[in-house]
């Protein structure tokens, strides 16, 4: 039977509707796959079902567990779904009535409880209704896939692999694909392709060993941290201060992460390793402290229980556990020379090196835990994965570390750190010593041409990168930069397409980026077929440079602010009027000015994880870089006739901007009115440069012509009155402050088109002038300046 390609996957079934099974079904639905979610039939009815007159034989009762799993998806925060409506792609069923429906699906995923005996019973049922050639996989965090498949037919075994989704499946990039000795090569490649292309995941191929790659090393690192904390006498807050961003790891660090995961869940993962580790000496490595067991016994298992390592005491007060007394105390603020050294250093590798090389107790603790993790990872090369690249990817994608173990080792210096380990009596794996003896200094090497290579079997192996995974960094290293300044660069993507990349701090838009936008327009107009606006930052763009605006406002440099706004507006107009196709490809946070940099594009290619919104009211301002104008222009194009009633549509735009609404995904931009019919959403964000480039080339090949009307039909005084009435009601009801009302009234003035009749025609510049006038006046308000200052200091909006 011919293998289905990623874009031919139409249907799937997930067996098990618990937290993980339902979330996997949700992400399949996110990808447009119709999903059947099955669970066991309940053996009793609930009070609610009894009141409704239902019996155990009724379908609603028999499907209850799966139905509840789907309902839970709509209430979970953060949402497992890109849009709540995507839950309609999931159908509830049960394992007694609906197993025959497995014959018609493309992919069957088992996600029942982590017990081998239960999984085997379920797989008996699955195999009985399986169609040969259908991909079958088990979602398990560490149970042997060979053991799960034991007793199955050979054809079934050849179509079977493990697919370990990291939790939560929508947000965690990693999926471990685990073949058994019987898994066909085509099956493994099909699972890889489906997870990468259809679900947008990063896939590593793991060996069928206890806890596979991510949880094997991640669990070891966490247990080692607990053991070393006890030995060093550090507090929970001290360890979290060390093991967070200072080491290139998430802000949740160690103990906040464990609270989120659940102490009981983590203990289960550790227990699986303790039970199945190949040697007694390795089993001893995973001994959790006695106080950890005591916490679990007391039910203090983390956030789901209201307390774990941290506890919310009410009114925003959070306390931390003192493991020696098992009591909670106010959190401590942690400072130290090593942490300050890490904070000052630029780049993850330099931060880590600065921390490990500072000889205070925190630097020493970081070194002691890091060296053990590095050596343990090296000892497992060839055991849990064939190469170091799969191990690094698993740790980066599965735990959101900035660097994997071997990338970390490179960053701190392989030769120097290995010598330090040996001086301290650490047993470094022989292959690492042989690697150094052969004259190598790093595990990864940049190639003279594009790309890099990694250490493998005594030599270097080239890192294979799909041509669709374009790296701007590699292109720049290869000399593809066309023009550049401190805030942005124009890069040649090949085939006559250029890419405008922001690279200022947080990609905030300032004068450098605006100047490069204008320069890029000139160059593309003369020499290129089109332009992509995209970057490789953590976020696409967090907005305009508020710090600069606040400084100018406090100095009362109103002409300077006026010039800044004009520069912003004219840069966006020039981008819009470029007579070559422009595709913006935003990702992650795309806020305020970042939105205004996308709206002029002919097409916006949203990454699925794009959080998109005009949020200026949160800092006491209104969008003034053309954001209001663009939305009004789109509305005018949709309703071009004088008799069209624009008021309800303007009210919707007003609500979206006034309440600083942000999309929960790239798909959700449609709900907020930001996504236009021609715009697209891409789940596999690694391909965003490539796909944006293909859209540019297709538009150019079809004879692109920039078409937009400089005339805008506005809703006028009638819409303004409706907005002002709504503002007054909100103010009188105590829902908004006086300053909120001031901002909202200025926004209403812009969105109505000012004091003009309903249906009046105005120019683009007229609306831009309204934006600029309102923005300038708000900059002069003390409460707006307080909001900007508070946002810069805390990262949170101030409601004053």
């Amino acid at each position: 039977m011919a293998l289905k390609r990623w874009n031919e996957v139409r249907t799937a079934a997930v067996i098990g509707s618990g937290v993980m099974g339902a979330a996997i079904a949700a992400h399949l639905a996110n990808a447009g796959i119709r999903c059947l979610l099955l669970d066991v039939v309940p053996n009793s009815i609930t009070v609610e079902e009894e009141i409704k007159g239902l019996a155990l034989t009724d379908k609603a009762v028999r499907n209850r567990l799966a139905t509840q799993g789907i309902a839970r998806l709509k209430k979970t925060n953060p949402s497992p779904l890109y849009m709540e409506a995507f839950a309609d792609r999931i159908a509830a069923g049960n394992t007694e009535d609906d197993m025959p429906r497995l014959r018609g699906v493309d992919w069957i995923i088992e996600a029942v409880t982590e017990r081998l005996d239960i999984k085997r019973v379920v797989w008996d049922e699955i195999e009985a209704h399986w169609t040969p050639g259908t991909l079958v996989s088990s979602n398990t965090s560490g149970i042997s896939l060979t053991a799960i498949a034991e007793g199955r037919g050979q054809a079934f075994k050849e179509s079977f692999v493990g697919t370990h989704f990291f939790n939560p499946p929508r947000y965690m990039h990693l999926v471990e694909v685990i073949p058994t000795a019987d898994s066909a090569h085509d099956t493994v490649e099909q699972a890889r392709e489906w997870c990468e292309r259809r679900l947008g995941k990063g896939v590593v191929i793991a060996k069928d060993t206890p806890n596979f790659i991510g949880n094997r090393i991640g669990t070891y690192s966490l247990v080692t941290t607990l053991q070393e904390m006890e030995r060093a006498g550090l507090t929970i807050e001290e360890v979290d201060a060390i093991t967070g961003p200072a080491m290139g790891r998430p802000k949740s660090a160690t103990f906040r992460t464990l609270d989120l995961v659940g102490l009981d869940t983590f203990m289960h993962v550790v227990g699986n390793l303790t039970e199945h580790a190949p040697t007694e000496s390795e089993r001893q490595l995973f001994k959790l402290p006695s106080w950890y067991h005591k916490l679990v016994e007391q039910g203090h298992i983390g956030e789901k229980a209201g307390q774990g390592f941290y506890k919310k005491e009410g009114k925003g007060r959070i306390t931390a556990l003192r493991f020696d007394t098992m009591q909670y105390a106010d959190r401590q603020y942690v400072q130290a020379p090593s942490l300050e050294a890490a904070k000052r250093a630029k780049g993850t590798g330099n931060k880590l090196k600065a921390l490990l090389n500072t000889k205070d107790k925190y630097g020493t603790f970081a070194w002691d835990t890091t060296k053990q993790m590095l050596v343990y990872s090296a000892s497992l090369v060839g055991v849990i994965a064939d190469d170091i690249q799969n191990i690094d990817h698993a740790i980066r994608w599965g735990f959101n570390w900035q660097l994997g173990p071997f990338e970390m080792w490179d960053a701190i210096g392989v030769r120097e750190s290995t010598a330090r380990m040996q001086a301290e009596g650490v047993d470094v794996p022989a292959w690492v010593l042989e690697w150094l003896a052969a004259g190598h200094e790093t595990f990864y090497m940049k190639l003279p041409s594009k790309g890099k290579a990694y250490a493998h079997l005594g030599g270097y192996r080239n890192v294979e990168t799909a041509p669709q995974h374009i790296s701007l960094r590699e292109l720049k290293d290869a000399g593809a930069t066309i023009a550049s300044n401190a805030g942005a660069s124009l890069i040649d993507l090949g085939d006559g397409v250029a890419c405008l990349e922001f690279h200022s701090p947080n990609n905030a838009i300032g004068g450098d980026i605006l100047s490069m936008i204008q320069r890029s327009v000139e160059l593309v107009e003369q020499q290129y077929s089109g332009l992509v606006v995209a970057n490789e930052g953590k976020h696409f763009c967090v907005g305009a440079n508020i710090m600069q605006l606040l400084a100018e406002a406090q100095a009362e440099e109103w002409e300077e602010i006026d010039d800044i706004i004009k520069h912003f507006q004219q840069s966006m107009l020039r981008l819009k009027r470029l007579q070559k196709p422009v595709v913006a490809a935003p990702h992650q946070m795309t806020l305020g000015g970042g939105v205004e940099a996308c709206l002029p594009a002919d097409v916006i290619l949203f990454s699925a994880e794009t959080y998109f919104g005009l949020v200026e009211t949160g800092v006491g301002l209104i969008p003034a870089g053309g954001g209001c104008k663009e939305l009004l222009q789109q509305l005018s194009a949709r309703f071009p006739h004088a008799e069209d009633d624009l008021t309800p549509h303007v009210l919707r735009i007003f609500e979206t901007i006034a309440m600083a609404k942000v999309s929960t995904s790239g798909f959700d931009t449609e709900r907020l009115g930001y996504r236009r019919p021609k715009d697209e959403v891409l789940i596999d964000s690694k391909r965003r440069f490539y796909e944006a480039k293909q859209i540019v080339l297709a538009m150019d090949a079809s004879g692109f012509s920039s078409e937009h009307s400089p005339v805008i039909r506005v809703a006028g005084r009638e819409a303004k009155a409706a907005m002002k009435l709504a503002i007054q009601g909100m103010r009188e009801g105590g829902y908004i402050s006086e300053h909120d009302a001031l901002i909202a009234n200025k926004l209403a003035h812009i969105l109505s088109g000012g004091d003009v009749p309903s249906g009046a025609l105005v120019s683009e510049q007229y609306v831009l002038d309204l934006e600029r006038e309102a923005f300038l006046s708000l900059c002069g308000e003390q409460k707006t300046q307080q909001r900007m200052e508070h946002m810069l200091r805390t990262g949170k909006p101030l409601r004053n």
Side-chain angles (χ1 to χ4, degrees):
M1 182 177 291
L3 294 177
K4 281 187 168 69
R5 296 298 308 277
W6 67 273
N7 55 353
E8 297 173 328
V9 184
R10 300 283 184 266
T11 58
V14 176
I15 320 298
S17 66
V19 172
M20 198 63 189
I24 291 171
H27 197 59
L28 294 171
N30 285 337
I33 299 171
R34 293 276 169 186
C35 190
L36 176 64
L37 183 63
L38 305 182
D39 213 315
V40 296
V41 174
N43 54 21
S44 63
I45 62 172
T46 65
V47 173
E48 292 81 4
E49 289 167 342
E50 190 173 4
I51 291 171
K52 292 177 181 177
L54 297 174
L56 283 173
T57 54
D58 288 306
K59 197 71 171 176
V61 176
R62 295 175 71 77
N63 292 351
R64 184 210 307 151
L65 294 180
T67 302
Q68 288 176 338
I70 297 168
R72 209 167 46 241
L73 295 173
K74 300 176 183 179
K75 300 175 183 177
T76 302
N77 186 29
S79 176
L81 297 158
Y82 289 146
M83 293 181 69
E84 186 177 306
F86 287 178
D88 295 341
R89 296 171 178 170
I90 309 172
N94 69 77
T95 53
E96 289 185 17
D97 303 327
D98 299 303
M99 293 300 272
R101 295 170 67 182
L102 299 184
R103 296 191 179 100
V105 304
D106 300 316
W107 186 3
I108 301 169
I109 302 174
E110 169 269 306
V112 302
T113 190
E114 287 284 83
R115 277 181 48 184
L116 179 59
D117 57 338
I118 294 176
K119 286 183 180 290
R120 280 180 170 165
V121 170
V122 172
W123 280 106
D124 284 342
E125 286 292 311
I126 292 172
E127 186 177 22
H129 298 93
W130 169 72
T131 300
T134 300
L135 177 66
V136 281
S137 67
S138 175
N139 182 73
T140 172
S141 59
I143 296 177
S144 165
L145 276 304
T146 301
I148 292 173
E150 187 178 339
R152 309 267 74 85
Q154 185 59 32
F156 188 91
K157 288 182 179 181
E158 290 174 3
S159 296
F160 174 77
V161 292
T163 47
H164 177 208
F165 289 80
F166 270 56
N167 192 30
R170 169 184 165 179
Y171 299 97
M172 296 304 294
H173 190 54
L174 178 64
V175 173
E176 293 176 317
V177 170
I178 310 104
T180 70
D182 294 304
S183 302
H185 174 77
D186 285 349
T187 299
V188 178
E189 289 308 306
Q190 186 175 59
R192 183 209 295 269
E193 185 184 61
W194 289 9
C195 290
E196 285 181 344
R197 292 298 314 277
R198 193 62 188 266
L199 304 183
K201 295 301 172 188
V203 173
V204 298
I205 305 299
K207 290 183 178 290
D208 189 12
T209 57
N211 287 28
F212 315 129
I213 304 173
N215 280 345
R216 181 77 166 266
I217 294 174
T219 300
Y220 175 81
S221 178
L222 284 167
V223 173
T224 301
T225 299
L226 297 177
Q227 294 168 345
E228 289 296 330
M229 179 180 80
E230 232 181 0
R231 280 194 280 268
L234 298 182
T235 65
I236 280 167
E237 302 98 302
E238 288 175 316
V239 172
D240 273 356
I242 299 164
T243 59
M247 295 184 72
R249 302 179 189 178
K251 290 181 180 178
S252 56
T254 297
F255 293 103
R256 177 67 180 135
T257 297
L258 285 170
D259 274 352
L260 290 169
V261 169
L263 278 67
D264 55 338
T265 302
F266 181 66
M267 191 163 76
H268 173 80
V269 173
V270 173
N272 186 63
L273 264 172
T274 304
E275 182 180 351
H276 296 106
T279 65
E280 179 59 30
S281 60
E282 187 169 358
R283 284 191 281 274
Q284 291 301 311
L285 298 176
F286 294 95
K287 291 189 69 173
L288 288 167
S290 59
W291 50 264
Y292 189 101
H293 289 275
K294 189 174 180 181
L295 271 176
V296 175
E297 289 165 8
Q298 292 174 342
H300 300 169
I301 55 176
E303 189 168 271
K304 58 190 174 185
Q307 65 186 97
F309 292 109
Y310 293 102
K311 181 180 179 182
K312 292 181 180 178
E313 301 283 2
K315 293 185 179 180
R317 179 172 168 246
I318 299 176
T319 56
L321 181 75
R322 299 289 172 258
F323 69 86
D324 50 348
T325 65
M326 299 301 288
Q327 301 296 314
Y328 290 88
D330 287 335
R331 285 191 297 180
Q332 301 172 332
Y333 180 69
V334 181
Q335 278 185 306
S338 55
L339 298 176
E340 286 302 312
K343 192 173 183 179
R344 288 193 303 270
K346 300 296 184 184
T348 302
N350 289 328
K351 287 180 182 296
L352 182 63
K353 196 169 185 177
L355 175 64
L356 300 186
N357 288 337
T358 305
K359 301 297 195 295
D360 63 11
K361 65 177 180 178
Y362 298 152
T364 300
F365 175 85
W367 166 251
D368 287 340
T369 53
T370 299
K371 71 182 180 185
Q372 293 180 67
M373 185 272 295
L374 296 181
V375 167
Y376 184 68
S377 300
S379 73
L380 294 175
V381 175
V383 176
I384 60 174
D386 283 331
D387 54 63
I388 67 170
Q389 187 182 27
N390 272 301
I391 292 174
D392 279 343
H393 283 168
I395 298 303
R396 282 201 283 113
W397 296 339
F399 292 86
N400 288 328
W401 291 13
Q402 295 297 308
L403 300 172
F406 298 95
E407 293 165 325
M408 290 172 65
W409 214 334
D410 275 357
I412 65 175
V414 181
R415 190 172 296 278
E416 301 90 329
S417 59
T418 300
R420 182 177 173 185
M421 292 174 194
Q422 289 182 296
E424 295 171 2
V426 176
D427 187 14
V428 179
W431 77 265
V432 175
L433 301 178
E434 292 167 3
W435 182 254
L436 290 170
H440 302 296
E441 299 295 328
T442 61
F443 293 115
Y444 288 90
M445 175 182 67
K446 279 190 176 181
L447 298 175
S449 57
K450 180 181 171 184
K452 62 180 181 178
Y454 61 90
H456 186 71
L457 300 178
Y460 280 109
R461 172 186 282 181
N462 288 0
V463 172
E464 294 182 8
T465 304
Q468 296 84 6
H469 295 174
I470 295 172
S471 165
L472 297 185
R473 181 178 299 177
E474 289 182 2
L475 286 174
K476 289 191 287 187
D477 287 345
T481 302
I482 302 163
S484 185
N485 63 25
S489 296
L490 187 66
I491 302 159
D492 191 341
L493 294 180
D495 300 315
V497 180
C499 178
L500 174 61
E501 175 201 25
F502 302 165
H503 47 65
S504 64
N506 293 317
N507 284 344
I509 296 178
D512 287 337
I513 288 180
L514 297 175
S515 296
M516 187 51 63
I517 289 174
Q518 299 215 26
R519 177 67 175 141
S520 297
V521 168
E522 294 173 2
L523 291 169
V524 171
E525 191 77 70
Q526 297 166 8
Q527 305 171 27
Y528 292 87
S529 301
L531 178 67
V532 170
V533 183
N535 62 67
E536 292 176 323
K538 181 179 179 182
H539 302 292
F540 176 80
C541 177
V542 297
N545 189 332
I546 300 175
M547 187 179 294
Q548 180 188 5
L549 279 172
L550 178 60
E552 299 289 0
Q554 289 175 333
E556 299 185 354
E557 296 286 352
W558 310 122
E559 288 186 7
E560 184 65 29
I561 294 176
D562 194 42
D563 287 342
I564 291 171
I565 304 167
K566 285 179 180 176
H567 191 195
F568 202 128
Q569 292 180 342
Q570 292 308 307
S571 297
M572 299 310 154
L573 270 182
R574 292 197 67 184
L575 190 61
K576 185 179 184 69
R577 293 170 179 171
L578 175 61
Q579 292 301 306
K580 301 288 178 71
V582 178
V583 176
H587 67 285
Q588 294 293 320
M589 291 293 183
T590 305
L591 306 175
V595 172
E596 292 176 310
C598 293
L599 292 177
D602 300 294
V603 173
I604 303 176
L605 178 64
F606 295 97
S607 289
E609 297 299 344
T610 304
Y611 315 116
F612 197 85
L614 293 166
V615 296
E616 286 83 352
T617 58
V619 289
L621 298 168
I622 53 92
C628 297
K629 185 268 297 181
E630 282 292 328
L631 294 180
L632 291 180
Q633 204 160 27
Q634 291 173 24
L635 186 60
S636 178
R638 284 173 56 208
F639 302 100
H641 305 297
E643 61 272 19
D644 291 332
D645 184 7
L646 299 176
T647 298
H649 306 286
V650 169
L651 285 171
R652 181 186 178 194
I653 295 171
F654 172 75
E655 181 183 336
T656 297
I657 298 176
M659 297 181 69
K661 291 184 178 181
V662 177
S663 72
T664 58
S665 70
F667 291 95
D668 190 51
T669 54
E670 182 177 6
R671 176 181 63 88
L672 297 183
Y674 288 120
R675 182 147 60 98
R676 308 160 299 190
K678 58 188 175 181
D679 296 334
E680 301 179 23
V681 183
L682 179 70
I683 289 183
D684 186 358
S685 65
K686 298 186 299 297
R687 298 171 62 96
R688 65 182 182 275
F689 300 104
Y690 173 82
E691 297 295 348
K693 174 182 169 181
Q694 300 312 304
I695 296 171
V696 167
L697 292 172
M699 285 195 291
D700 179 60
S702 63
F704 173 80
S705 173
S706 179
E707 296 178 3
H708 77 276
S709 172
V711 177
I712 302 170
R713 186 179 300 280
V714 294
R717 300 186 191 101
E718 182 180 311
K720 185 175 180 179
M723 287 184 275
K724 289 178 77 70
L725 185 63
I727 295 165
Q728 183 180 345
M730 294 287 284
R731 180 73 187 103
E732 290 176 355
Y735 296 105
I736 60 174
S737 69
E738 183 179 345
H739 193 55
D740 290 328
L742 173 69
I743 299 163
N745 276 303
K746 289 184 180 294
L747 179 62
H749 183 68
I750 299 165
L751 294 178
S752 63
D755 295 315
V756 297
S758 175
L761 298 175
V762 300
S763 68
E764 284 184 299
Q765 191 58 52
Y766 171 82
V767 180
L768 290 174
D769 289 343
L770 292 179
E771 287 185 5
R772 195 175 76 257
E773 290 162 9
F775 191 94
L776 269 171
S777 66
L778 287 169
C779 281
E781 295 285 339
Q782 184 180 10
K783 289 185 178 179
T784 284
Q785 293 178 20
Q786 289 171 349
R787 290 189 179 192
M788 287 194 281
E789 191 171 11
H790 189 267
M791 178 62 75
L792 288 169
R793 188 174 68 252
T794 68
K796 298 177 181 178
L798 172 68
R799 310 307 298 182
N800 58 348

